[in-house]
Protein backbone atom coordinates (compact mmCIF):
# COMPACT_ATOMS: atom_id res chain seq x y z
CA UNK A 1 0.00 0.00 0.00
CA UNK A 2 2.81 2.41 0.87
CA UNK A 3 4.40 1.81 -2.57
CA UNK A 4 1.15 2.20 -4.49
CA UNK A 5 -0.29 5.03 -2.38
CA UNK A 6 2.67 6.85 -0.80
CA UNK A 7 0.52 9.76 0.42
CA UNK A 8 -2.07 7.57 2.15
CA UNK A 9 -2.46 8.02 5.88
CA UNK A 10 -3.29 5.21 8.24
CA UNK A 11 -6.00 6.28 10.69
CA UNK A 12 -6.88 4.75 14.01
CA UNK A 13 -10.64 4.50 14.37
CA UNK A 14 -12.10 6.57 17.21
CA UNK A 15 -14.44 3.74 18.23
CA UNK A 16 -11.53 1.41 18.90
CA UNK A 17 -9.65 4.08 20.86
CA UNK A 18 -12.61 4.78 23.11
CA UNK A 19 -13.29 1.07 23.46
CA UNK A 20 -9.70 0.51 24.62
CA UNK A 21 -9.68 3.31 27.19
CA UNK A 22 -13.08 2.23 28.51
CA UNK A 23 -11.71 -1.30 28.88
CA UNK A 24 -8.80 0.15 30.91
CA UNK A 25 -11.27 1.93 33.18
CA UNK A 26 -13.27 -1.28 33.63
CA UNK A 27 -10.09 -3.11 34.66
CA UNK A 28 -9.33 -0.36 37.18
CA UNK A 29 -12.89 -0.52 38.51
CA UNK A 30 -12.61 -4.31 38.92
CA UNK A 31 -9.28 -3.97 40.75
CA UNK A 32 -10.68 -1.36 43.08
CA UNK A 33 -13.77 -3.50 43.71
CA UNK A 34 -11.51 -6.35 44.86
CA UNK A 35 -9.70 -3.96 47.22
CA UNK A 36 -12.82 -2.22 48.53
CA UNK A 37 -13.54 -2.52 52.25
CA UNK A 38 -16.40 -0.08 52.53
CA UNK A 39 -19.89 -1.46 51.76
CA UNK A 40 -20.80 1.74 49.88
CA UNK A 41 -17.70 1.56 47.71
CA UNK A 42 -18.32 -2.09 46.89
CA UNK A 43 -21.85 -1.25 45.79
CA UNK A 44 -20.74 1.68 43.65
CA UNK A 45 -18.01 -0.33 41.90
CA UNK A 46 -20.24 -3.30 41.14
CA UNK A 47 -20.84 -4.02 37.44
CA UNK A 48 -24.49 -3.01 37.71
CA UNK A 49 -23.42 0.53 38.67
CA UNK A 50 -20.87 0.89 35.88
CA UNK A 51 -23.08 3.30 33.93
CA UNK A 52 -22.87 5.86 36.71
CA UNK A 53 -19.09 5.82 36.52
CA UNK A 54 -18.77 6.01 32.76
CA UNK A 55 -21.61 8.36 31.81
CA UNK A 56 -20.94 12.05 31.70
CA UNK A 57 -22.18 14.02 34.70
CA UNK A 58 -24.79 15.95 32.72
CA UNK A 59 -26.72 12.74 32.00
CA UNK A 60 -27.04 11.75 35.67
CA UNK A 61 -29.95 12.48 37.99
CA UNK A 62 -29.45 14.20 41.36
CA UNK A 63 -29.07 11.10 43.53
CA UNK A 64 -26.61 9.52 41.08
CA UNK A 65 -24.53 12.71 41.07
CA UNK A 66 -24.39 12.64 44.87
CA UNK A 67 -23.33 8.97 44.89
CA UNK A 68 -20.69 9.68 42.28
CA UNK A 69 -19.31 12.63 44.25
CA UNK A 70 -19.13 10.50 47.39
CA UNK A 71 -17.25 7.79 45.50
CA UNK A 72 -14.85 10.36 44.06
CA UNK A 73 -14.03 11.50 47.57
CA UNK A 74 -13.57 7.93 48.83
CA UNK A 75 -11.49 6.49 45.99
CA UNK A 76 -8.66 8.52 44.47
CA UNK A 77 -7.84 5.97 41.74
CA UNK A 78 -11.42 5.82 40.47
CA UNK A 79 -11.63 9.60 40.47
CA UNK A 80 -8.32 9.88 38.59
CA UNK A 81 -9.40 7.20 36.12
CA UNK A 82 -12.66 9.02 35.44
CA UNK A 83 -10.76 12.24 34.75
CA UNK A 84 -8.32 10.46 32.44
CA UNK A 85 -11.12 8.84 30.45
CA UNK A 86 -13.19 12.03 30.24
CA UNK A 87 -10.18 14.10 29.16
CA UNK A 88 -9.29 11.49 26.52
CA UNK A 89 -12.80 11.68 25.03
CA UNK A 90 -12.60 15.48 24.96
CA UNK A 91 -9.17 15.28 23.35
CA UNK A 92 -10.56 13.21 20.46
CA UNK A 93 -13.17 15.94 19.87
CA UNK A 94 -10.47 18.51 19.01
CA UNK A 95 -10.80 19.94 15.51
CA UNK A 96 -7.21 21.01 14.87
CA UNK A 97 -3.94 19.15 15.15
CA UNK A 98 -2.44 21.93 17.26
CA UNK A 99 -5.21 21.79 19.87
CA UNK A 100 -5.09 17.99 19.85
CA UNK A 101 -1.33 17.97 20.48
CA UNK A 102 -1.67 20.47 23.34
CA UNK A 103 -4.41 18.34 24.90
CA UNK A 104 -2.38 15.17 24.38
CA UNK A 105 0.56 16.67 26.27
CA UNK A 106 -1.75 17.54 29.18
CA UNK A 107 -3.32 14.08 29.05
CA UNK A 108 0.11 12.40 29.24
CA UNK A 109 0.88 14.55 32.29
CA UNK A 110 -2.42 13.59 33.91
CA UNK A 111 -1.71 9.87 33.30
CA UNK A 112 1.84 10.14 34.62
CA UNK A 113 0.71 11.94 37.79
CA UNK A 114 -2.03 9.37 38.42
CA UNK A 115 0.53 6.53 38.58
CA UNK A 116 -2.16 4.03 37.57
CA UNK A 117 -0.37 1.22 35.69
CA UNK A 118 -3.30 0.38 33.41
CA UNK A 119 -3.45 3.91 32.05
CA UNK A 120 0.34 4.20 31.87
CA UNK A 121 0.41 1.16 29.55
CA UNK A 122 -2.43 2.65 27.49
CA UNK A 123 -0.54 5.97 27.23
CA UNK A 124 2.47 4.11 25.81
CA UNK A 125 0.19 2.57 23.20
CA UNK A 126 -1.22 6.01 22.35
CA UNK A 127 2.32 7.37 22.05
CA UNK A 128 3.30 4.54 19.69
CA UNK A 129 0.29 5.17 17.39
CA UNK A 130 0.16 8.95 17.79
CA UNK A 131 0.63 9.65 14.08
CA UNK A 132 -2.26 7.35 13.22
CA UNK A 133 -4.44 9.06 15.83
CA UNK A 134 -3.42 12.46 14.46
CA UNK A 135 -4.48 11.23 11.01
CA UNK A 136 -7.95 10.61 12.48
CA UNK A 137 -8.02 14.14 13.96
CA UNK A 138 -7.16 15.64 10.57
CA UNK A 139 -9.38 13.45 8.37
CA UNK A 140 -12.18 12.47 10.78
CA UNK A 141 -12.39 9.15 8.93
CA UNK A 142 -14.00 6.23 10.75
CA UNK A 143 -15.05 2.75 9.79
CA UNK A 144 -18.46 3.16 11.41
CA UNK A 145 -20.47 3.01 8.17
CA UNK A 146 -18.64 0.00 6.74
CA UNK A 147 -18.75 -1.85 10.07
CA UNK A 148 -22.46 -1.11 10.34
CA UNK A 149 -23.07 -2.46 6.84
CA UNK A 150 -20.99 -5.56 7.57
CA UNK A 151 -23.06 -6.20 10.71
CA UNK A 152 -26.30 -5.91 8.73
CA UNK A 153 -24.97 -8.28 6.06
CA UNK A 154 -23.98 -10.84 8.72
CA UNK A 155 -27.41 -10.53 10.32
CA UNK A 156 -29.16 -11.06 6.98
CA UNK A 157 -26.97 -14.08 6.24
CA UNK A 158 -27.93 -15.65 9.59
Amino acid sequence: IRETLPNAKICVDRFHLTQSINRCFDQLRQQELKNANDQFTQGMLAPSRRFILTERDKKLVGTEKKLLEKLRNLNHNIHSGMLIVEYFHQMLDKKTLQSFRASLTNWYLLVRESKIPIFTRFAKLVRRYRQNIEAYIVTRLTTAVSEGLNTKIKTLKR
Side-chain angles (χ1 to χ4, degrees):
I1 291 175
R2 289 183 198 263
E3 288 175 14
T4 308
L5 304 168
N7 296 328
K9 294 186 186 254
I10 298 171
C11 297
V12 174
D13 193 57
R14 180 186 178 128
F15 170 79
H16 297 290
L17 284 170
T18 55
Q19 183 182 44
S20 294
I21 197 163
N22 289 339
R23 196 176 302 124
C24 289
F25 183 76
D26 270 349
Q27 290 173 1
L28 174 66
R29 181 190 54 75
Q30 290 165 359
Q31 284 177 356
E32 293 299 315
L33 178 60
K34 287 179 185 175
N35 298 335
N37 298 338
D38 184 334
Q39 191 70 26
F40 167 77
T41 307
Q42 288 175 342
M44 279 299 292
L45 294 173
S48 61
R49 301 296 274 197
R50 178 184 179 276
F51 76 95
I52 291 178
L53 300 174
T54 55
E55 289 296 314
R56 299 193 176 173
D57 288 349
K58 61 186 171 202
K59 294 181 181 178
L60 301 176
V61 295
T63 55
E64 291 171 338
K65 283 183 181 180
K66 288 177 185 175
L67 289 172
L68 186 56
E69 190 58 38
K70 187 174 178 185
L71 179 64
R72 285 177 177 159
N73 293 332
L74 286 173
N75 192 310
H76 178 72
N77 284 346
I78 291 291
H79 179 65
S80 297
M82 289 167 57
L83 291 175
I84 289 168
V85 170
E86 183 66 25
Y87 198 85
F88 189 79
H89 287 284
Q90 290 174 1
M91 187 175 67
L92 293 177
D93 290 335
K94 299 297 180 187
K95 302 290 184 208
T96 66
L97 207 49
Q98 184 179 2
S99 63
F100 171 76
R101 287 177 178 162
S103 293
L104 184 62
T105 302
N106 292 334
W107 183 80
Y108 283 140
L109 182 63
L110 185 63
V111 170
R112 195 176 318 119
E113 287 178 356
S114 76
K115 297 178 182 167
I116 300 173
I118 294 168
F119 288 111
T120 304
R121 284 191 301 274
F122 182 73
K124 288 179 184 175
L125 191 68
V126 168
R127 184 167 278 136
R128 185 174 354 147
Y129 292 101
R130 192 188 90 221
Q131 287 182 331
N132 303 62
I133 297 169
E134 287 178 351
Y136 161 74
I137 297 298
V138 171
T139 63
R140 290 291 184 209
L141 293 175
T142 69
T143 58
V145 174
S146 61
E147 287 188 28
L149 289 172
N150 286 340
T151 302
K152 287 181 180 184
I153 290 168
K154 287 178 185 177
T155 303
L156 288 171
K157 284 170 69 175
R158 272 189 244 130

